Amino acid sequence: MQTLRISLILSVVLLLPGISSDGQAAAFVAPEDTILFMGDSITLASTKPAGFATLVGEGLKRALPGSNVDIQSVAKGGCGIKYLNTIFDTKSAPLKPDIVVILIGINDVRTSTDGPGPDPAEFEQQLDKLVARSQAIGAKTVICSPLIRGEKTDGSNPYDALIEQYVAACKNVATRTSSMFIDLRARFMDRLRVINPENDEEGHLSKDGVHPNAEGNALIADAILAVWSIPNSR
């Protein structure tokens, strides 16, 4: 009876998503994958030498010797979620990505306050649509939360409360769509509470309160690699 119970438990465990038949966690990234990063100016700069997409690619090459992971980017400075849906069929889908990483929302936060941008509810609908389109072409989806508009840690940045609503929208979509969710804002704020005791508005993880500097880009890359279970020995 005890043997039967153990056998049944093992059978259930081996059928869980992400677990292979030998009991090992299934790898999120395959050696020949194309990884597409979609976003705004933060993502546009991510393929530069110190950018987070570049750092992710370098980390994957170290962890997967002989691999041929292809890092791609579709991004536009100043854009929001609506733009990424508008250009998906012409610019994103043709790249045939295996993984789509979406980092968007910080411009939507700003534009929602003066009219043309989506409020959190509409942002969530648009993100749902973008994820569905990505999954429809066979891609695994990763949703990153918006980052920051100001580095103050006491809640006094002008958009702090609103950004949290967009973060919640990202988490909602990730849960509904079985996407991977990475709360980059939480990671940024946790780090800033350590390195920004003077409550400065910028200069610690960003160049201007919005766009990540070298340390900010490294934090993003490390967060992505960590949730993909990729050891980073940079």
XYZ file of all heavy atoms in Angstrom, residues 74-158:
625
model
N 12.717 44.717 -30.853
C 11.763 45.573 -31.568
C 11.315 46.630 -30.567
O 10.639 46.306 -29.587
C 10.557 44.777 -32.102
C 9.485 45.732 -32.634
C 10.993 43.813 -33.200
N 11.731 47.862 -30.780
C 11.471 48.904 -29.797
C 11.494 50.278 -30.460
O 12.096 50.465 -31.523
C 12.520 48.848 -28.685
N 10.853 51.223 -29.794
C 10.815 52.603 -30.284
C 10.766 53.550 -29.100
O 9.970 53.373 -28.177
C 9.586 52.817 -31.175
C 9.460 54.228 -31.726
C 8.190 54.371 -32.553
C 8.042 55.803 -33.070
N 6.785 55.964 -33.854
N 11.628 54.546 -29.137
C 11.654 55.523 -28.064
C 10.325 56.250 -27.925
O 9.741 56.673 -28.917
N 9.862 56.391 -26.699
C 8.635 57.122 -26.426
C 7.354 56.356 -26.653
O 6.265 56.881 -26.411
N 7.443 55.108 -27.104
C 6.222 54.370 -27.445
C 5.586 53.747 -26.208
O 6.178 53.687 -25.132
C 6.509 53.293 -28.489
S 7.170 51.742 -27.814
N 4.353 53.283 -26.414
C 3.629 52.585 -25.371
C 3.119 51.259 -25.888
O 3.481 50.795 -26.978
N 2.238 50.649 -25.132
C 1.739 49.315 -25.443
C 0.996 49.270 -26.777
O 1.078 48.283 -27.507
C 0.843 48.803 -24.292
C 0.427 47.348 -24.510
C -0.375 49.691 -24.102
C 1.545 46.368 -24.388
N 0.278 50.329 -27.129
C -0.490 50.321 -28.378
C 0.429 50.174 -29.588
O 0.097 49.465 -30.546
C -1.328 51.591 -28.491
C -2.476 51.682 -27.506
C -3.278 52.964 -27.703
C -4.422 53.066 -26.710
N -5.187 54.327 -26.876
N 1.571 50.833 -29.552
C 2.512 50.749 -30.667
C 2.990 49.319 -30.874
O 3.095 48.835 -32.009
C 3.705 51.667 -30.420
C 4.798 51.514 -31.453
C 4.686 52.108 -32.705
C 5.943 50.761 -31.182
C 5.689 51.955 -33.661
C 6.943 50.602 -32.124
C 6.806 51.204 -33.365
O 7.803 51.042 -34.297
N 3.292 48.614 -29.785
C 3.795 47.242 -29.914
C 2.760 46.328 -30.553
O 3.118 45.398 -31.287
C 4.209 46.703 -28.549
C 5.368 47.429 -27.857
C 5.750 46.708 -26.567
C 6.581 47.549 -28.775
N 1.485 46.587 -30.310
C 0.438 45.823 -30.991
C 0.330 46.217 -32.456
O 0.107 45.366 -33.326
C -0.912 46.034 -30.294
C -1.176 44.984 -29.222
O -1.013 43.789 -29.461
N -1.568 45.426 -28.044
N 0.499 47.512 -32.738
C 0.370 47.995 -34.114
C 1.413 47.382 -35.038
O 1.112 47.044 -36.189
C 0.498 49.530 -34.154
O -0.537 50.111 -33.361
C 0.390 50.054 -35.585
N 2.638 47.213 -34.530
C 3.718 46.737 -35.408
C 4.004 45.248 -35.244
O 4.951 44.733 -35.830
C 5.012 47.561 -35.183
C 5.410 47.587 -33.685
C 4.825 48.983 -35.684
C 6.187 46.432 -33.183
N 3.207 44.542 -34.467
C 3.525 43.148 -34.179
C 3.600 42.296 -35.449
O 4.561 41.545 -35.645
C 2.502 42.547 -33.217
C 2.858 41.148 -32.802
C 3.739 40.928 -31.760
C 2.334 40.049 -33.469
C 4.098 39.636 -31.389
C 2.684 38.761 -33.104
C 3.571 38.547 -32.061
N 2.603 42.397 -36.313
C 2.548 41.532 -37.497
C 3.655 41.842 -38.501
O 4.112 40.937 -39.213
C 1.191 41.658 -38.180
C 0.066 41.042 -37.361
O 0.358 40.174 -36.505
O -1.094 41.444 -37.547
N 4.081 43.094 -38.562
C 5.077 43.481 -39.568
C 6.516 43.410 -39.075
O 7.431 43.153 -39.864
C 4.801 44.912 -40.077
O 4.802 45.805 -38.949
C 3.467 44.982 -40.789
N 6.736 43.621 -37.778
C 8.108 43.685 -37.286
C 8.481 42.573 -36.300
O 9.635 42.153 -36.251
C 8.361 45.047 -36.621
C 8.318 46.211 -37.594
C 8.796 47.502 -36.938
C 8.842 48.640 -37.952
N 9.352 49.912 -37.345
N 7.527 42.111 -35.522
C 7.843 41.127 -34.487
C 7.628 39.695 -34.955
O 8.531 38.854 -34.868
C 7.008 41.398 -33.234
O 7.293 42.680 -32.717
N 6.447 39.399 -35.473
C 6.132 38.036 -35.903
C 7.103 37.492 -36.942
O 7.472 36.309 -36.881
C 4.698 37.972 -36.427
N 7.561 38.319 -37.930
C 8.494 37.775 -38.934
C 9.810 37.265 -38.358
O 10.504 36.482 -39.014
C 8.725 38.976 -39.868
C 7.486 39.801 -39.741
C 7.112 39.676 -38.297
N 10.165 37.683 -37.150
C 11.404 37.218 -36.531
C 11.266 35.805 -35.966
O 12.255 35.191 -35.577
C 11.818 38.180 -35.417
C 12.163 39.607 -35.873
C 12.383 40.511 -34.663
C 13.401 39.604 -36.762
N 10.043 35.299 -35.903
C 9.748 33.946 -35.423
C 10.407 33.664 -34.063
O 11.164 32.695 -33.903
C 10.185 32.907 -36.458
C 9.466 33.042 -37.790
C 9.923 32.016 -38.791
C 9.184 32.160 -40.117
N 9.639 31.181 -41.135
N 10.109 34.502 -33.075
C 10.755 34.321 -31.777
C 10.252 33.084 -31.040
O 9.089 32.701 -31.151
C 10.360 35.593 -31.018
C 9.052 35.993 -31.633
C 9.177 35.633 -33.088
N 11.149 32.471 -30.295
C 10.778 31.372 -29.404
C 10.371 31.908 -28.036
O 9.585 31.296 -27.327
C 11.955 30.407 -29.252
C 12.379 29.809 -30.579
O 11.653 28.938 -31.081
O 13.416 30.246 -31.116
N 10.952 33.048 -27.670
C 10.647 33.718 -26.407
C 10.440 35.199 -26.687
O 11.246 35.816 -27.396
C 11.780 33.538 -25.375
C 11.997 32.049 -25.056
C 11.493 34.326 -24.102
C 13.238 31.781 -24.215
N 9.369 35.763 -26.153
C 9.119 37.204 -26.260
C 9.173 37.799 -24.864
O 8.446 37.366 -23.968
C 7.753 37.498 -26.916
C 7.418 38.987 -26.825
C 7.748 37.042 -28.368
N 10.053 38.782 -24.694
C 10.183 39.493 -23.424
C 9.610 40.895 -23.606
O 10.093 41.659 -24.442
C 11.647 39.575 -22.970
C 11.746 40.290 -21.614
C 12.277 38.188 -22.887
N 8.583 41.228 -22.845
C 7.892 42.508 -22.983
C 8.221 43.389 -21.783
O 7.962 43.019 -20.635
C 6.364 42.306 -23.067
C 6.014 41.390 -24.243
C 5.645 43.651 -23.198
C 4.577 40.879 -24.205
N 8.820 44.545 -22.061
C 9.092 45.548 -21.022
C 8.523 46.875 -21.521
O 9.126 47.556 -22.337
C 10.596 45.660 -20.749
C 11.059 46.785 -19.817
C 10.291 46.778 -18.507
C 12.558 46.700 -19.570
N 7.359 47.224 -21.037
C 6.632 48.392 -21.547
C 5.772 48.966 -20.414
O 5.505 48.274 -19.433
C 5.754 48.003 -22.766
C 5.348 49.245 -23.577
C 4.573 47.160 -22.335
C 6.472 49.918 -24.316
N 5.362 50.208 -20.573
C 4.422 50.779 -19.620
C 4.831 52.101 -19.009
O 3.977 52.864 -18.564
N 6.128 52.398 -18.992
C 6.547 53.619 -18.305
C 6.117 54.864 -19.071
O 5.879 55.918 -18.476
C 8.068 53.602 -18.022
C 8.385 54.418 -16.760
C 8.876 54.054 -19.222
C 7.763 53.878 -15.501
N 5.991 54.767 -20.401
C 5.437 55.885 -21.169
C 3.915 55.917 -21.085
O 3.310 56.994 -21.087
C 5.880 55.797 -22.633
C 7.363 56.051 -22.794
O 7.921 56.956 -22.193
N 8.024 55.228 -23.602
N 3.292 54.764 -20.994
C 1.839 54.706 -20.825
C 1.426 55.391 -19.523
O 0.403 56.078 -19.463
C 1.366 53.255 -20.822
C 1.616 52.566 -22.150
O 0.996 52.958 -23.139
O 2.443 51.644 -22.184
N 2.228 55.210 -18.485
C 1.961 55.864 -17.203
C 1.920 57.379 -17.372
O 1.008 58.056 -16.887
C 3.038 55.468 -16.172
C 2.953 56.359 -14.941
C 2.901 53.999 -15.781
N 2.911 57.899 -18.072
C 3.006 59.359 -18.261
C 1.889 59.877 -19.145
O 1.215 60.856 -18.801
C 4.366 59.723 -18.869
C 4.515 61.187 -19.261
C 5.891 61.447 -19.850
N 6.197 60.554 -20.950
C 5.769 60.723 -22.203
N 4.975 61.749 -22.514
N 6.116 59.872 -23.148
N 1.651 59.204 -20.277
C 0.663 59.731 -21.223
C -0.765 59.534 -20.738
O -1.671 60.257 -21.158
C 0.825 59.071 -22.604
O 0.728 57.642 -22.471
C 2.177 59.416 -23.210
N -0.983 58.584 -19.834
C -2.342 58.376 -19.333
C -2.825 59.575 -18.529
O -4.026 59.813 -18.412
C -2.419 57.124 -18.461
O -1.748 57.301 -17.229
N -1.890 60.337 -17.990
C -2.284 61.481 -17.166
C -2.644 62.707 -17.998
O -3.263 63.632 -17.477
C -1.152 61.860 -16.191
O 0.006 62.266 -16.936
C -0.801 60.689 -15.302
N -2.255 62.735 -19.278
C -2.597 63.897 -20.111
C -3.485 63.526 -21.303
O -3.614 64.284 -22.244
C -1.341 64.636 -20.589
C -0.370 63.739 -21.339
O -0.818 62.754 -21.937
O 0.835 64.030 -21.330
N -4.084 62.332 -21.262
C -5.128 62.026 -22.245
C -4.860 60.949 -23.262
O -5.636 60.007 -23.365
N -3.743 61.003 -24.026
C -3.614 60.069 -25.156
C -3.239 58.643 -24.782
O -3.414 57.726 -25.575
C -2.509 60.703 -26.003
C -1.691 61.475 -25.017
C -2.652 61.992 -24.001
N -2.722 58.433 -23.581
C -2.263 57.101 -23.208
C -3.346 56.271 -22.541
O -4.347 56.800 -22.057
N -3.154 54.951 -22.494
C -4.152 54.066 -21.873
C -4.092 54.130 -20.359
O -3.012 54.195 -19.769
C -3.742 52.683 -22.378
C -2.261 52.781 -22.568
C -2.001 54.189 -23.028
N -5.244 54.095 -19.718
C -5.267 53.979 -18.269
C -4.919 52.534 -17.907
O -4.781 51.684 -18.797
C -6.617 54.410 -17.702
C -7.776 53.550 -18.185
O -7.539 52.415 -18.663
O -8.924 54.006 -18.088
N -4.740 52.203 -16.634
C -4.324 50.845 -16.272
C -5.215 49.748 -16.827
O -4.727 48.686 -17.245
C -4.338 50.872 -14.741
C -4.039 52.292 -14.400
C -4.735 53.103 -15.452
N -6.531 49.987 -16.868
C -7.448 48.958 -17.370
C -7.245 48.720 -18.866
O -7.200 47.571 -19.330
C -8.894 49.355 -17.097
N -7.112 49.801 -19.631
C -6.899 49.649 -21.072
C -5.513 49.069 -21.340
O -5.329 48.259 -22.262
C -7.062 50.987 -21.790
C -6.934 50.853 -23.303
C -7.024 52.178 -24.039
O -7.245 53.219 -23.379
O -6.868 52.164 -25.277
N -4.522 49.487 -20.557
C -3.177 48.924 -20.680
C -3.223 47.411 -20.509
O -2.603 46.662 -21.276
C -2.258 49.550 -19.637
C -0.878 48.954 -19.586
C 0.111 49.373 -20.458
C -0.562 47.960 -18.662
C 1.389 48.815 -20.413
C 0.697 47.399 -18.611
C 1.684 47.829 -19.486
N -3.965 46.960 -19.530
C -4.080 45.527 -19.272
C -4.709 44.812 -20.465
O -4.257 43.726 -20.860
C -4.902 45.288 -18.007
C -4.948 43.839 -17.563
C -5.537 43.668 -16.176
O -5.391 44.578 -15.347
O -6.133 42.595 -15.921
N -5.730 45.406 -21.067
C -6.369 44.814 -22.244
C -5.389 44.731 -23.414
O -5.323 43.725 -24.123
C -7.593 45.634 -22.642
C -8.727 45.588 -21.627
C -9.844 46.558 -21.958
O -9.757 47.351 -22.902
N -10.913 46.518 -21.179
N -4.629 45.813 -23.614
C -3.660 45.835 -24.707
C -2.542 44.814 -24.485
O -2.079 44.162 -25.420
C -3.070 47.240 -24.847
C -4.028 48.285 -25.388
C -4.184 48.202 -26.898
O -3.299 47.732 -27.606
N -5.318 48.654 -27.399
N -2.121 44.671 -23.240
C -1.073 43.704 -22.937
C -1.586 42.277 -23.128
O -0.874 41.412 -23.645
C -0.580 43.904 -21.501
C 0.593 43.035 -21.046
C 1.796 43.203 -21.968
C 0.976 43.380 -19.606
N -2.826 42.037 -22.741
C -3.458 40.741 -22.999
C -3.391 40.406 -24.490
O -3.063 39.271 -24.879
C -4.927 40.778 -22.559
C -5.183 40.000 -21.282
O -4.530 38.970 -21.072
O -6.035 40.442 -20.498
N -3.724 41.383 -25.303
C -3.736 41.196 -26.754
C -2.342 40.892 -27.273
O -2.147 39.984 -28.104
C -4.296 42.453 -27.421
C -4.384 42.390 -28.931
C -4.989 43.696 -29.476
C -5.055 43.676 -31.000
N -5.618 44.958 -31.530
N -1.336 41.627 -26.798
C 0.042 41.423 -27.250
C 0.550 40.043 -26.860
O 1.206 39.356 -27.656
C 0.942 42.516 -26.678
C 2.398 42.513 -27.125
C 2.503 42.713 -28.640
C 3.190 43.599 -26.394
N 0.246 39.620 -25.653
C 0.665 38.290 -25.204
C -0.023 37.207 -26.027
O 0.615 36.228 -26.445
C 0.370 38.116 -23.701
C 0.543 36.662 -23.284
C 1.272 39.017 -22.872
N -1.317 37.373 -26.278
C -2.048 36.377 -27.067
C -1.449 36.249 -28.463
O -1.316 35.135 -28.994
C -3.522 36.765 -27.153
N -1.089 37.365 -29.057
C -0.508 37.324 -30.403
C 0.861 36.644 -30.386
O 1.221 35.907 -31.310
C -0.400 38.740 -30.966
C -1.750 39.407 -31.124
C -1.637 40.866 -31.470
N -1.473 41.064 -32.907
C -1.494 42.263 -33.494
N -1.671 43.349 -32.762
N -1.349 42.365 -34.787
N 1.623 36.891 -29.338
C 2.941 36.263 -29.215
C 2.808 34.755 -29.024
O 3.527 33.966 -29.651
C 3.708 36.874 -28.030
O 3.891 38.262 -28.193
N 1.881 34.352 -28.177
C 1.692 32.927 -27.937
C 1.100 32.222 -29.151
O 1.366 31.041 -29.383
C 0.813 32.732 -26.707
C 1.487 33.189 -25.412
C 0.620 33.017 -24.189
O -0.589 32.811 -24.283
N 1.216 33.121 -22.998
N 0.329 32.948 -29.946
C -0.281 32.359 -31.141
C 0.758 31.965 -32.187
O 0.502 31.081 -33.015
C -1.295 33.327 -31.747
N 1.944 32.603 -32.159
C 2.996 32.226 -33.101
C 3.987 31.258 -32.449
O 5.066 30.997 -32.990
C 3.740 33.455 -33.667
C 4.427 34.244 -32.550
C 2.786 34.350 -34.449
C 5.343 35.350 -33.077
N 3.619 30.740 -31.280
C 4.414 29.699 -30.641
C 5.467 30.168 -29.661
O 6.300 29.366 -29.222
N 5.443 31.449 -29.282
C 6.465 31.980 -28.381
C 6.060 31.840 -26.926
O 4.882 31.985 -26.583
C 6.733 33.448 -28.696
N 7.030 31.554 -26.080
C 6.836 31.679 -24.643
C 6.925 33.166 -24.302
O 7.704 33.898 -24.911
C 7.902 30.884 -23.882
C 7.748 29.388 -24.028
C 8.778 28.623 -23.196
C 10.085 28.476 -23.931
N 11.017 27.537 -23.245
N 6.128 33.604 -23.330
C 6.047 35.031 -23.044
C 6.535 35.355 -21.643
O 6.227 34.654 -20.677
C 4.612 35.547 -23.224
O 3.694 34.635 -22.608
C 4.270 35.658 -24.696
N 7.290 36.453 -21.572
C 7.833 36.957 -20.320
C 7.401 38.412 -20.193
O 7.675 39.231 -21.075
C 9.373 36.869 -20.288
C 9.911 37.400 -18.964
C 9.843 35.442 -20.547
N 6.699 38.744 -19.113
C 6.229 40.104 -18.892
C 7.042 40.724 -17.762
O 7.066 40.215 -16.637
C 4.736 40.126 -18.520
C 3.896 39.498 -19.643
C 4.272 41.558 -18.235
C 2.430 39.339 -19.283
N 7.717 41.832 -18.084
C 8.462 42.582 -17.082
C 7.646 43.802 -16.660
O 7.021 44.448 -17.504
C 9.801 43.045 -17.638
S 10.916 41.711 -18.139
N 7.671 44.116 -15.394
C 6.937 45.295 -14.931
C 7.643 46.571 -15.384
O 8.851 46.565 -15.650
C 6.853 45.287 -13.403
O 8.117 45.624 -12.845
N 6.904 47.680 -15.484
C 7.549 48.974 -15.714
C 8.546 49.259 -14.587
O 8.412 48.714 -13.479
C 6.385 49.968 -15.687
C 5.152 49.170 -15.838
C 5.450 47.791 -15.315
N 9.506 50.123 -14.869
C 10.571 50.391 -13.901
C 10.238 51.572 -12.988
O 9.468 51.440 -12.060
C 11.889 50.622 -14.644
C 12.365 49.476 -15.542
C 13.634 49.878 -16.268
C 12.585 48.214 -14.737
N 10.810 52.720 -13.288
C 10.711 53.866 -12.387
C 10.550 55.165 -13.171
O 10.927 55.257 -14.328
C 11.972 53.989 -11.505
C 13.240 54.048 -12.381
C 12.057 52.846 -10.506
C 14.515 54.346 -11.623
N 9.988 56.151 -12.508
C 10.061 57.546 -12.935
C 10.492 58.345 -11.713
O 9.689 58.896 -10.986
C 8.719 58.044 -13.489
C 8.505 57.643 -14.943
C 7.408 58.418 -15.634
N 7.418 58.139 -17.056
C 8.165 58.767 -17.956
N 8.947 59.751 -17.587
N 8.118 58.428 -19.221
N 11.777 58.316 -11.489
C 12.358 58.905 -10.291
C 12.836 57.823 -9.352
O 12.207 56.768 -9.225
N 13.973 58.088 -8.680
C 14.613 57.083 -7.834
C 14.355 57.285 -6.336
O 14.921 56.562 -5.516
C 16.121 57.062 -8.091
C 16.488 56.613 -9.492
C 17.982 56.380 -9.655
O 18.682 56.188 -8.637
O 18.464 56.392 -10.792
N 13.518 58.228 -5.977
C 13.232 58.425 -4.556
C 12.532 57.189 -4.000
O 11.716 56.570 -4.681
C 12.375 59.664 -4.358
C 13.085 60.967 -4.736
C 12.201 62.180 -4.479
C 12.936 63.472 -4.825
N 12.097 64.667 -4.554
N 12.838 56.854 -2.779
C 12.334 55.616 -2.195
C 11.247 55.834 -1.146
O 10.797 54.873 -0.524
C 13.492 54.826 -1.549
O 14.094 55.630 -0.523
C 14.538 54.466 -2.585
N 10.814 57.090 -0.957
C 9.823 57.379 0.080
C 8.420 57.577 -0.485
O 7.525 58.071 0.207
C 10.231 58.624 0.875
C 10.330 59.876 0.000
O 10.156 59.761 -1.236
O 10.580 60.967 0.560
N 8.227 57.180 -1.760
C 6.911 57.304 -2.373
C 6.597 58.678 -2.913
O 5.448 58.946 -3.286
N 7.610 59.554 -3.000
C 7.357 60.935 -3.406
C 7.638 61.215 -4.878
O 7.494 62.349 -5.327
C 8.181 61.897 -2.545
O 9.574 61.681 -2.725
N 8.045 60.202 -5.660
C 8.142 60.409 -7.104
C 6.738 60.649 -7.651
O 5.778 59.999 -7.211
C 8.763 59.185 -7.781
C 10.157 58.887 -7.278
O 11.075 59.682 -7.423
N 10.323 57.726 -6.653
N 6.579 61.553 -8.622
C 5.231 61.954 -9.059
C 4.324 60.813 -9.509
O 3.112 60.893 -9.350
C 5.518 62.916 -10.211
C 6.881 63.451 -9.938
C 7.633 62.325 -9.294
